Amino acid sequence: MMADHKSVTRMLKTARGQIDGILRMVEEDRYCVDISTQLMATQALIARINADVLKAHIEGCVTSAIESGDEELKATKLAEIERVVDKLAK
């Protein structure tokens, strides 16, 4: 299963719009707490996008590798997921 490209694209464009808005806020010397609030909202959206993409990867590529019976491919895909989880934990 691949991530829904339309949904991911729409959410990324929304995040880009949020970042553009945050840049304007900084340029206008807006209140720091308001800027921080918008930054956190953008971070949450990007985290959701990442979760959707990773879920699709697990449901598609990783599941296919496991079902293939190819032990090397399976180990490679599982190691990829482990590296991503390690990065997310930092």
Side-chain angles (χ1 to χ4, degrees):
M1 174 182 173
M2 299 241 308
D4 178 4
H5 287 121
K6 284 185 180 181
S7 175
V8 169
T9 300
R10 179 182 45 79
M11 289 189 292
L12 284 169
K13 287 180 179 179
T14 298
R16 181 174 58 194
Q18 288 176 330
I19 291 170
D20 289 342
I22 294 165
L23 280 167
R24 280 191 300 278
M25 291 175 77
V26 170
E27 290 166 353
E28 295 168 2
D29 201 25
R30 298 273 296 274
Y31 189 57
C32 294
V33 173
D34 293 342
I35 294 169
S36 179
T37 299
Q38 291 305 310
L39 284 166
M40 287 185 285
T42 304
Q43 287 174 314
L45 178 57
I46 290 171
R48 170 147 180 248
I49 297 165
N50 190 38
D52 288 353
V53 169
L54 289 174
K55 181 180 176 187
H57 179 64
I58 291 168
E59 291 173 355
C61 297
V62 175
T63 299
S64 293
I66 291 169
E67 292 172 349
S68 75
D70 181 336
E71 292 301 317
E72 185 176 337
L73 180 62
K74 176 178 148 182
T76 298
K77 294 300 175 190
L78 291 174
E80 287 174 351
I81 292 300
E82 288 174 10
R83 282 192 301 275
V84 170
V85 169
D86 286 344
K87 287 179 185 178
L88 287 171
K90 290 182 180 178

